[in-house]
Amino acid sequence: VKKLKAAILGATGTVGQRFIQMLHEHPWFEVSDLMGKTSAGRRYGEAVNWLWSPEVPEEIRGIEVKPSKPRNLDSNIVFSAIPADEARTVEPSFAEAGFPVVSNASAHRMDPTVPLIIPEVNSGHLGLIDGQREGKGWDGFIVTNPNCSAINLALVLKPIHDLLTIEKVIVTTMQAVSGAGYPGVPSLSITDNVIPFIEREEEKMVTETRKILGRLEGGRVIEASFPIAASCNRVPTIDGHLESVYIDAEGEVDIEGVKEALRNFRGRPQDLGLPSAPADPIIVREEMDRPQTRLDRMGGTVPGMSVSVGRLRHGVDDDSLQITLIGHNTIRGAAGTAVLIGELLLAEKLIGGG
Amino acid sequence: VKKLKAAILGATGTVGQRFIQMLHEHPWFEVSDLMGKTSAGRRYGEAVNWLWSPEVPEEIRGIEVKPSKPRNLDSNIVFSAIPADEARTVEPSFAEAGFPVVSNASAHRMDPTVPLIIPEVNSGHLGLIDGQREGKGWDGFIVTNPNCSAINLALVLKPIHDLLTIEKVIVTTMQAVSGAGYPGVPSLSITDNVIPFIEREEEKMVTETRKILGRLEGGRVIEASFPIAASCNRVPTIDGHLESVYIDAEGEVDIEGVKEALRNFRGRPQDLGLPSAPADPIIVREEMDRPQTRLDRMGGTVPGMSVSVGRLRHGVDDDSLQITLIGHNTIRGAAGTAVLIGELLLAEKLIGGG
Amino acid sequence: VKKLKAAILGATGTVGQRFIQMLHEHPWFEVSDLMGKTSAGRRYGEAVNWLWSPEVPEEIRGIEVKPSKPRNLDSNIVFSAIPADEARTVEPSFAEAGFPVVSNASAHRMDPTVPLIIPEVNSGHLGLIDGQREGKGWDGFIVTNPNCSAINLALVLKPIHDLLTIEKVIVTTMQAVSGAGYPGVPSLSITDNVIPFIEREEEKMVTETRKILGRLEGGRVIEASFPIAASCNRVPTIDGHLESVYIDAEGEVDIEGVKEALRNFRGRPQDLGLPSAPADPIIVREEMDRPQTRLDRMGGTVPGMSVSVGRLRHGVDDDSLQITLIGHNTIRGAAGTAVLIGELLLAEKLIGGG
Amino acid sequence: VKKLKAAILGATGTVGQRFIQMLHEHPWFEVSDLMGKTSAGRRYGEAVNWLWSPEVPEEIRGIEVKPSKPRNLDSNIVFSAIPADEARTVEPSFAEAGFPVVSNASAHRMDPTVPLIIPEVNSGHLGLIDGQREGKGWDGFIVTNPNCSAINLALVLKPIHDLLTIEKVIVTTMQAVSGAGYPGVPSLSITDNVIPFIEREEEKMVTETRKILGRLEGGRVIEASFPIAASCNRVPTIDGHLESVYIDAEGEVDIEGVKEALRNFRGRPQDLGLPSAPADPIIVREEMDRPQTRLDRMGGTVPGMSVSVGRLRHGVDDDSLQITLIGHNTIRGAAGTAVLIGELLLAEKLIGGG
């Protein structure tokens, strides 16, 4: 079958690079266009500061980066990894021009007409698209994936939220430097250090998680009602955001029951057999000292697409639950979830070829 | 005046090395004896794997390490940095032989007759000593300093506990590798990694903090009653334990009032002008991204003896408080607090010369 | 076709773990037996401190580790990753019992009857085996792979040695912590540090490189005659040994000619199409700032089996050459080369099934 | 006595911060003016991204940063830590206006009329100043300190150069990230990595070292004639440049004799008792695994002002010498040497008050 043409906005950044890694041999998509602001006009292989091993794929290296404009673009879907500021105007210009845009940018995530999707958690929120098109008068549309720390958290909270009544969530993160992009965090700032602040991250974890776990009703998302407090810290790791989560629940928490719910959790991507869907969205570890950032960030049958959890135990009383979780911030936490959204859109016939 | 003779048990370990740094030019104490298990019989300069800059002090280098036995020891005070297992029998042997022992080991911390002291917080608990001596039939006694993570936490909780009614404390730590001693954490385990587990650390943070903040009544300590839940993580930093703390309080928390209480907090060491007492036991930072491990671990007029706090804000509601704190784990969190206890004992005439 | 049974000595160590990664889905070999000293009697999954992602392969996890003894062993080849001290007696006991042993241990590398092999460089040295068997009276034999730093160096020197007359080699290494095994280098020793000494490493680089580049004549290896001086440093990286090499040559060095020789270099494994042979044993980088440890250690069509070189330029005069090279220390530098030797032995019919 | 007023150009950068640390309680100088390009008009405490512990000195914090212009400046000496590009025009403007400028910038180092000084090595090169003033028609003058890696190397080569005939020097460096300033090296680029290239560093090590070790003759410096080849690498350390040096000499090298020469080496600063002069400019270590970056970078009676050497041994033959050395790149390698030059200028009456 013919693959769909996928364009990438912001192709040279850290998340843009992950898009290329996930799309260049994708069974359903092929990379058709690379767009960038400062890199436009240059060959990708020359414009990019490629940070990973293996190398830039051979067939991508020679592609000329285009400016971030919809004109003359011949693609079936646009994946966006541009900064929020830029996304505010650039992404709507593509949606208006008829393109489905799957965006990793935060600009439109909290727009009530824009689905904020983790395919395993709230694929039903894609129901917002019709209203969005109508309201904005767009031929295309915008769907977003959540913030990297919010994705990991919401994915793990979903089966717990279904199992018991969450009263309050308190989360402390230990986030990798790749989350800040490139050049991002100076080595002089983070070597042998922890920085207890990441701009706007805590707000995103709170608001986005509640939208993701909300329910679609009457054409809009009613947010989950439990409060969340977050403390976000930068630690000297390359990839992987580890989170220490404390949950107050109504009534006693059955630890083994929670583990079972997490282990058995499957979503629409698993039902549909989407190519980037890991067999287990959540991996439960029983070892005392797992999950660990370096050992578990690439977890899952699709590496980096599963979130690993461990150290499940009660908190100060039996009505509480403590969990440590780790997810890959630029795969499950960004490009991977966006690609999974793209696959979902195709499987649900919300996008298509020719 | 004549200095008191101080012996060090476990002198070659990471905490033992800090004892030497803090005692070798101390105005009240002089290092008289170094004791160790595997290093006995060798010159200190040859036996030690000294991890710091500057070098082993010249006058210490040539001292012959003795076995950990009280016999023939001519010292006024013994500082102990031996492992818990060893401490269980070795420290009592010194106390029985008449020596005041100030210990960093966890072995006797939760013994109801043993004071667990942060001099600024609960110097009054030294009142347990008489009962201890009587009960054990010892000429000497044992006083302990708390676990490195518990010291930082309890020191900061003290003025908050005095100001408002704490209902619950949830703490997530990001601890440096020096906390595990030497050789301790293998580099292969912690480079580019976070390990979400430190053996027995969480239990110590809970039980010790409540004992420290308890009140002495009728010859015993009535523990503070609020519950604590801890999640302890090892991160790739050399020194300094950073803690993200969430406090549920009864009634509204006035953030500025808390800051003022922390800023103004002074204890007995400041009143007595003890040599190792920092002017401000707690330093309040107003910057969005402080305190940081590398920048703030050596905080205080006596470097490493002040705990720095920042990011004070409400949690999910106005009845809650979030704080980030950082303290030096082997100075304020171990040897520094032990030396301060020694100074307090002398100032309070609980130990003396000749 | 039926796979050959491969046993692994020292299966739980860092190199042993790499053996498992390279052998568990190997087209010619299957892991039949795992042996270890302290882990004997336990299931591999429980005995090992697995340091990598992905996990221990499922089919390996449940294998019971056996003691390091040849009795009752039913294998066609034994790969050894045991320490040198142990290897001195253990490996001969397997060779005597009739097993072909491919060893990563240093114990027998400099034995004049033992081939020290990099398959691309000196496969002909396998000609020593007959004499070895005869001399020792063994049914089996021992073949060794070189030290991790020597492999990288010798592989790159080979085409240069063929192209021009080397007068002197001066090399400074920057080696990863995995080279010291586990627990190996304490994090307290190497965080934010460089340690300019690795025990016995410099001697190995000198003597082994000259043996590898020697020629087989009259049943023995005549070592290459040029002198080598090495300075070995430990740096805070996980995997990959980077080397800065300075070569004095007889006559002018044509930089482009050297690059071409390196780029075109192929050996017996490439001719034979061995499964673990990378298409290019040496990858030549033209960028100013390559090769880099993290970006290039997994280089090659078989990841980690190619050595990357760059920054080729003259030294103080035109008769000299400077090169920076990087190779993966536990893949090309250990287990990978050993497996490649195993494949070579099979292809050359020096080992076989039933 | 009255202190001389010292102005700092580029006061907010990493080297500028070291100038402040070394000057703010200096016995001969007082910080009078802070100048900067982007920070002009703001209080220093707000403009600076202070990277060190302890904090910005209290009395410095409130100083308003001025633009980098000589007009109205009332200082006796100007220390410059501005980038080379800027220095090309800015520093001459100060010299022309009558100020003595001691610069860490590379812009004028190789100007034949500008002294390139390590006070212990070539204080006599200050003899160039008269000619410089005359030639340029300046009331003031410019003196420079060398590149951070060149300083360490030249300081150690000096007594060796005096002792024996150096034929060739080959050096490989392992340099800390602070050498690249702030923000400098991105953490994504250097975590778990070595980068084998630092722009223009190798050329500086070669040319500057030869100028420093040259002799003043007839009003100009005749450079040392031995050739040098350098390979510069960035490693994940915060401070301290470690160098692995190989020296070919004419005739046999007596290792013990070299050690003695290094140990006994003293220069003009030691003779004059300059405040920032360490008792021993070079510290010789006898341990197998020293000097190390983290343990030895702050070596010396004036911390960070001594270079530590170790591992002295022959190379491929007795006519060669291998040394490992480490020096602090922003103290001895930059601000510290500049301040020492300032002290030397005052002691030699080349600058003065009123």
Side-chain angles (χ1 to χ4, degrees):
Chain A
V1 299
K2 200 148 169 260
K3 291 185 182 181
L4 261 63
K5 291 179 187 165
I8 303 173
L9 271 167
T12 57
T14 45
V15 172
Q17 294 179 28
R18 286 287 180 203
F19 271 125
I20 282 170
Q21 290 184 321
M22 299 201 73
L23 291 172
H24 88 100
E25 291 187 330
H26 196 279
W28 296 359
F29 300 116
E30 61 180 359
V31 175
S32 61
D33 295 275
L34 304 177
M35 294 177 281
K37 203 172 159 180
T38 53
S39 53
R42 297 159 68 196
R43 305 261 157 216
Y44 185 77
E46 286 147 28
V48 73
N49 188 343
W50 189 261
L51 294 156
W52 317 106
S53 168
E55 297 286 316
V56 182
E58 200 48 47
E59 67 277 20
I60 299 292
R61 195 182 293 271
I63 297 179
E64 191 186 308
V65 181
K66 296 182 178 172
S68 306
K69 302 222 143 67
R71 189 183 310 186
N72 298 329
L73 185 71
D74 174 30
S75 288
N76 304 107
I77 185 168
V78 175
F79 291 100
S80 170
I82 55 179
D85 277 358
E86 217 181 305
R88 243 176 288 281
T89 55
V90 168
E91 291 178 358
S93 75
F94 279 83
E96 194 174 8
F99 295 98
V101 177
V102 181
S103 172
N104 180 58
S106 64
H108 305 286
R109 283 184 196 148
M110 295 309 292
D111 181 323
T113 72
V114 171
L116 180 62
I117 301 290
I118 304 172
E120 283 89 345
V121 174
N122 64 337
S123 60
H125 289 198
L126 291 178
L128 289 173
I129 291 177
D130 282 346
Q132 180 196 129
R133 286 174 130 159
E134 203 171 327
K136 313 263 190 193
W138 289 345
D139 285 335
F141 58 85
I142 296 174
V143 180
T144 56
N145 68 261
N147 164 276
C148 47
S149 295
I151 289 183
N152 295 338
L153 179 63
L155 186 62
V156 172
L157 286 183
K158 171 62 178 167
I160 298 172
H161 187 47
D162 288 346
L163 184 73
L164 46 80
T165 304
I166 296 175
E167 289 189 334
K168 185 165 66 181
V169 173
I170 296 158
V171 56
T172 294
T173 68
M174 283 150 264
Q175 305 185 213
V177 296
S178 66
Y182 188 86
V185 186
S187 52
L188 258 184
S189 297
I190 196 66
T191 306
D192 184 20
N193 200 16
V194 176
I195 304 174
F197 179 67
I198 300 174
E199 210 169 350
R200 282 191 292 275
E201 191 84 357
E202 294 167 359
E203 294 82 342
K204 288 176 192 168
M205 288 193 73
V206 171
T207 58
E208 296 186 11
T209 301
R210 298 212 300 208
K211 177 170 178 179
I212 298 161
L213 295 177
R215 63 181 196 286
L216 189 69
E217 233 182 71
R220 62 192 200 91
V221 173
I222 314 297
E223 294 192 357
S225 58
F226 58 81
I228 304 174
S231 283
C232 293
N233 300 278
R234 188 77 69 195
V235 296
T237 57
I238 295 179
D239 284 316
H241 289 358
L242 190 132
E243 308 183 13
S244 171
V245 185
Y246 190 97
I247 298 169
D248 269 329
E250 206 181 285
E252 191 171 334
V253 177
D254 169 22
I255 299 293
E256 288 308 315
V258 172
K259 282 186 192 172
E260 206 187 318
L262 291 167
R263 228 181 252 119
N264 295 336
F265 176 63
R266 300 289 180 280
R268 192 90 181 116
Q270 283 73 33
D271 295 345
L272 294 168
L274 300 182
S276 300
D280 306 288
I282 300 168
I283 294 171
V284 179
R285 312 283 325 195
E286 295 286 351
E287 302 93 328
M288 282 308 284
D289 61 352
R290 295 288 282 269
Q292 295 182 16
T293 298
R294 188 161 65 86
L295 298 184
D296 294 303
R297 61 190 170 200
M298 289 303 271
T301 54
V302 178
M305 284 299 285
S306 291
V307 173
S308 295
V309 306
R311 302 217 62 219
L312 279 85
R313 60 202 195 281
H314 285 127
V316 304
D317 54 32
D318 289 351
D319 298 5
S320 61
L321 171 67
Q322 295 189 81
I323 297 186
T324 295
L325 65 89
I326 161 82
H328 197 292
N329 51 303
T330 62
I331 302 180
R332 170 52 84 171
T337 288
V339 169
L340 195 60
I341 293 172
E343 295 168 4
L344 179 67
L345 290 172
L346 181 56
E348 303 282 21
K349 301 192 197 314
L350 288 160
I351 61 169
Chain B
V1 297
K2 200 148 168 263
K3 291 184 183 180
L4 261 63
K5 291 180 187 165
I8 302 174
L9 269 168
T12 58
T14 44
V15 172
Q17 294 179 29
R18 287 286 179 203
F19 271 125
I20 283 171
Q21 289 185 322
M22 299 202 71
L23 290 172
H24 88 100
E25 290 187 332
H26 196 280
W28 296 359
F29 299 116
E30 62 180 358
V31 175
S32 61
D33 295 275
L34 303 177
M35 294 176 282
K37 204 170 156 183
T38 54
S39 52
R42 298 158 68 196
R43 304 265 156 213
Y44 186 77
E46 287 148 27
V48 74
N49 188 342
W50 188 260
L51 294 156
W52 316 106
S53 169
E55 298 286 316
V56 181
E58 201 48 46
E59 69 276 22
I60 299 292
R61 194 181 293 270
I63 297 180
E64 190 185 310
V65 180
K66 296 181 180 173
S68 306
K69 303 220 145 64
R71 188 184 309 185
N72 298 328
L73 185 72
D74 174 30
S75 289
N76 304 105
I77 184 168
V78 175
F79 291 100
S80 170
I82 55 179
D85 277 358
E86 216 182 307
R88 243 176 288 281
T89 54
V90 169
E91 291 178 0
S93 75
F94 280 83
E96 194 174 8
F99 295 97
V101 177
V102 181
S103 172
N104 179 59
S106 64
H108 305 286
R109 284 183 195 147
M110 296 307 295
D111 181 324
T113 71
V114 172
L116 179 62
I117 300 289
I118 304 172
E120 284 89 344
V121 174
N122 64 337
S123 60
H125 289 197
L126 291 177
L128 290 173
I129 291 175
D130 282 346
Q132 180 195 131
R133 284 174 133 159
E134 202 170 328
K136 314 265 192 190
W138 289 345
D139 284 336
F141 58 85
I142 296 174
V143 180
T144 57
N145 66 261
N147 164 275
C148 46
S149 295
I151 288 181
N152 295 337
L153 179 64
L155 186 62
V156 172
L157 286 183
K158 170 64 178 166
I160 298 173
H161 187 47
D162 289 346
L163 184 73
L164 45 80
T165 305
I166 295 175
E167 288 190 332
K168 184 164 67 181
V169 173
I170 296 159
V171 57
T172 294
T173 68
M174 283 150 265
Q175 304 185 214
V177 296
S178 66
Y182 189 87
V185 186
S187 52
L188 258 184
S189 297
I190 196 65
T191 305
D192 183 22
N193 200 17
V194 175
I195 303 174
F197 179 67
I198 300 174
E199 210 170 349
R200 280 191 292 274
E201 191 83 357
E202 295 166 0
E203 295 82 341
K204 288 177 191 166
M205 288 193 73
V206 171
T207 57
E208 296 185 11
T209 300
R210 299 212 297 208
K211 178 170 179 180
I212 299 161
L213 295 177
R215 63 183 197 284
L216 189 68
E217 231 182 73
R220 60 191 200 91
V221 173
I222 313 297
E223 294 192 359
S225 59
F226 58 81
I228 304 174
S231 283
C232 293
N233 300 279
R234 188 77 67 194
V235 297
T237 56
I238 296 179
D239 282 318
H241 289 358
L242 190 132
E243 307 184 13
S244 170
V245 186
Y246 190 97
I247 298 170
D248 269 329
E250 207 180 284
E252 192 171 335
V253 177
D254 169 21
I255 300 293
E256 288 308 314
V258 172
K259 283 185 190 171
E260 205 187 319
L262 291 166
R263 226 180 254 119
N264 295 337
F265 176 64
R266 299 289 181 279
R268 192 89 182 116
Q270 284 73 33
D271 294 345
L272 294 168
L274 301 182
S276 301
D280 306 287
I282 299 170
I283 295 171
V284 179
R285 312 283 323 195
E286 295 287 350
E287 302 92 328
M288 281 308 283
D289 62 351
R290 296 288 281 266
Q292 294 180 17
T293 299
R294 188 163 63 87
L295 298 183
D296 294 302
R297 62 191 170 200
M298 289 303 273
T301 54
V302 178
M305 284 300 284
S306 290
V307 173
S308 294
V309 306
R311 303 218 58 221
L312 279 86
R313 62 202 193 281
H314 285 128
V316 302
D317 55 30
D318 289 352
D319 297 7
S320 62
L321 171 68
Q322 294 187 81
I323 297 185
T324 297
L325 66 88
I326 162 82
H328 197 294
N329 53 302
T330 61
I331 302 180
R332 170 52 83 170
T337 287
V339 169
L340 195 61
I341 292 171
E343 295 168 4
L344 178 67
L345 291 172
L346 181 56
E348 303 282 20
K349 302 193 197 314
L350 288 160
I351 61 169
Chain C
V1 298
K2 200 145 169 266
K3 291 184 181 180
L4 260 63
K5 292 180 186 163
I8 302 173
L9 270 167
T12 57
T14 44
V15 172
Q17 295 179 28
R18 287 286 179 203
F19 271 125
I20 283 171
Q21 290 185 323
M22 299 201 74
L23 290 173
H24 88 99
E25 291 186 330
H26 196 279
W28 296 359
F29 299 115
E30 62 180 359
V31 175
S32 61
D33 295 275
L34 303 177
M35 295 177 280
K37 201 170 160 184
T38 55
S39 53
R42 297 159 68 197
R43 305 260 158 217
Y44 186 76
E46 287 147 27
V48 73
N49 189 341
W50 189 262
L51 294 156
W52 316 106
S53 169
E55 297 286 317
V56 182
E58 200 49 46
E59 68 276 21
I60 299 293
R61 194 182 294 271
I63 298 179
E64 190 185 310
V65 181
K66 296 182 181 171
S68 306
K69 302 222 147 62
R71 189 185 308 188
N72 298 328
L73 185 71
D74 175 29
S75 289
N76 304 106
I77 184 168
V78 174
F79 291 100
S80 169
I82 55 180
D85 277 357
E86 217 181 306
R88 243 176 287 281
T89 55
V90 168
E91 291 178 359
S93 75
F94 280 83
E96 193 174 8
F99 295 97
V101 177
V102 182
S103 171
N104 179 59
S106 64
H108 305 286
R109 285 183 195 147
M110 295 308 293
D111 181 324
T113 71
V114 172
L116 179 62
I117 301 288
I118 304 173
E120 284 90 345
V121 174
N122 63 337
S123 60
H125 290 196
L126 291 178
L128 290 174
I129 291 176
D130 283 346
Q132 181 196 131
R133 284 173 132 160
E134 203 170 327
K136 313 263 191 193
W138 290 344
D139 286 335
F141 59 84
I142 296 175
V143 180
T144 57
N145 67 261
N147 164 274
C148 46
S149 295
I151 289 183
N152 296 337
L153 179 64
L155 186 62
V156 172
L157 286 184
K158 170 64 178 165
I160 298 173
H161 186 48
D162 289 346
L163 185 73
L164 45 80
T165 304
I166 296 176
E167 289 189 334
K168 182 165 66 178
V169 174
I170 295 159
V171 56
T172 294
T173 68
M174 284 150 262
Q175 305 186 212
V177 296
S178 67
Y182 188 87
V185 186
S187 51
L188 258 183
S189 297
I190 196 66
T191 305
D192 183 21
N193 201 15
V194 175
I195 303 175
F197 178 68
I198 300 175
E199 211 171 347
R200 280 190 294 272
E201 191 83 358
E202 295 165 0
E203 294 83 340
K204 288 177 190 168
M205 289 193 73
V206 171
T207 58
E208 296 186 9
T209 300
R210 299 212 298 209
K211 177 171 179 180
I212 298 161
L213 295 176
R215 64 183 195 285
L216 190 68
E217 232 181 74
R220 61 192 200 89
V221 174
I222 313 297
E223 294 192 359
S225 59
F226 57 83
I228 304 174
S231 283
C232 293
N233 301 278
R234 187 77 68 193
V235 297
T237 56
I238 296 178
D239 283 317
H241 289 358
L242 191 132
E243 308 183 12
S244 170
V245 185
Y246 190 97
I247 297 169
D248 269 329
E250 207 181 286
E252 192 171 336
V253 177
D254 168 23
I255 300 293
E256 289 308 314
V258 172
K259 283 185 191 172
E260 205 188 319
L262 291 167
R263 228 180 253 120
N264 295 336
F265 176 63
R266 300 289 180 280
R268 192 89 182 115
Q270 284 72 33
D271 295 344
L272 294 168
L274 301 182
S276 300
D280 306 289
I282 299 169
I283 295 171
V284 179
R285 311 283 324 194
E286 294 286 351
E287 303 93 327
M288 282 310 283
D289 62 352
R290 295 290 278 270
Q292 294 181 16
T293 299
R294 188 161 63 85
L295 298 184
D296 294 301
R297 63 191 169 200
M298 289 302 271
T301 54
V302 178
M305 283 299 286
S306 291
V307 172
S308 295
V309 306
R311 304 216 60 219
L312 279 87
R313 61 203 193 280
H314 285 127
V316 303
D317 54 32
D318 290 351
D319 298 6
S320 61
L321 170 68
Q322 293 188 82
I323 297 186
T324 297
L325 66 89
I326 162 82
H328 197 293
N329 53 304
T330 62
I331 301 180
R332 169 52 82 172
T337 287
V339 169
L340 195 60
I341 292 171
E343 295 167 5
L344 179 66
L345 291 172
L346 181 55
E348 304 282 22
K349 303 195 194 315
L350 289 160
I351 61 169
Chain D
V1 298
K2 195 140 172 271
K3 291 183 182 183
L4 262 63
K5 292 180 188 165
I8 303 173
L9 269 167
T12 58
T14 44
V15 172
Q17 295 179 29
R18 286 287 179 201
F19 271 125
I20 283 172
Q21 290 185 322
M22 299 201 74
L23 290 172
H24 88 100
E25 290 187 330
H26 196 279
W28 295 359
F29 300 115
E30 63 181 356
V31 176
S32 61
D33 295 276
L34 303 177
M35 294 176 282
K37 202 171 159 183
T38 54
S39 53
R42 298 159 68 196
R43 304 262 157 216
Y44 186 76
E46 287 147 27
V48 74
N49 188 342
W50 189 260
L51 294 155
W52 316 106
S53 168
E55 298 286 316
V56 181
E58 200 48 48
E59 68 278 20
I60 299 291
R61 194 180 295 271
I63 298 179
E64 191 185 309
V65 181
K66 296 182 179 171
S68 307
K69 303 219 146 57
R71 190 183 308 187
N72 297 329
L73 185 72
D74 174 30
S75 289
N76 304 106
I77 185 168
V78 175
F79 291 100
S80 170
I82 56 179
D85 277 356
E86 216 180 309
R88 243 175 288 281
T89 55
V90 168
E91 290 177 0
S93 75
F94 280 83
E96 194 174 6
F99 295 97
V101 177
V102 181
S103 172
N104 179 60
S106 64
H108 305 286
R109 284 183 195 147
M110 295 307 294
D111 181 322
T113 71
V114 171
L116 179 62
I117 301 288
I118 305 172
E120 282 90 344
V121 174
N122 64 339
S123 60
H125 290 197
L126 291 177
L128 291 174
I129 290 176
D130 283 345
Q132 179 195 131
R133 286 174 129 156
E134 202 169 328
K136 313 264 191 192
W138 290 344
D139 284 337
F141 58 84
I142 296 175
V143 180
T144 57
N145 67 262
N147 163 276
C148 46
S149 295
I151 290 182
N152 295 337
L153 179 64
L155 186 62
V156 172
L157 286 183
K158 171 63 177 165
I160 298 173
H161 187 48
D162 289 347
L163 184 72
L164 45 80
T165 304
I166 296 176
E167 289 189 335
K168 184 165 65 180
V169 173
I170 296 159
V171 57
T172 294
T173 68
M174 284 150 264
Q175 305 186 214
V177 296
S178 66
Y182 189 87
V185 187
S187 52
L188 258 184
S189 297
I190 196 66
T191 306
D192 184 21
N193 201 16
V194 175
I195 302 174
F197 179 67
I198 300 173
E199 211 170 349
R200 281 191 292 272
E201 191 84 357
E202 294 166 359
E203 294 83 341
K204 288 176 191 167
M205 288 193 75
V206 172
T207 57
E208 297 185 10
T209 301
R210 298 210 299 207
K211 177 170 179 180
I212 299 161
L213 296 178
R215 63 183 197 285
L216 190 67
E217 230 182 75
R220 61 193 199 91
V221 173
I222 314 298
E223 295 192 359
S225 58
F226 58 82
I228 304 174
S231 283
C232 292
N233 301 279
R234 187 77 69 194
V235 296
T237 56
I238 296 178
D239 284 317
H241 289 357
L242 190 131
E243 307 182 13
S244 169
V245 185
Y246 190 98
I247 297 170
D248 268 329
E250 204 180 288
E252 192 172 337
V253 178
D254 169 20
I255 300 293
E256 289 309 313
V258 172
K259 284 186 190 172
E260 205 187 319
L262 292 166
R263 225 180 254 118
N264 294 338
F265 177 63
R266 300 287 181 279
R268 191 90 181 116
Q270 283 74 33
D271 294 345
L272 293 168
L274 301 182
S276 301
D280 306 289
I282 299 169
I283 295 171
V284 179
R285 312 281 327 192
E286 295 286 351
E287 302 93 328
M288 281 309 283
D289 61 353
R290 295 290 278 268
Q292 295 181 16
T293 299
R294 187 161 65 85
L295 298 184
D296 294 302
R297 62 192 172 200
M298 290 300 273
T301 54
V302 178
M305 284 299 284
S306 290
V307 173
S308 294
V309 306
R311 302 218 60 220
L312 279 86
R313 61 202 193 281
H314 286 127
V316 303
D317 54 31
D318 288 353
D319 297 6
S320 61
L321 170 67
Q322 295 188 81
I323 298 186
T324 296
L325 66 88
I326 162 84
H328 197 293
N329 52 303
T330 62
I331 301 179
R332 169 53 81 171
T337 287
V339 169
L340 194 61
I341 292 172
E343 295 167 5
L344 178 67
L345 290 171
L346 181 56
E348 304 283 20
K349 301 192 195 316
L350 288 160
I351 61 170

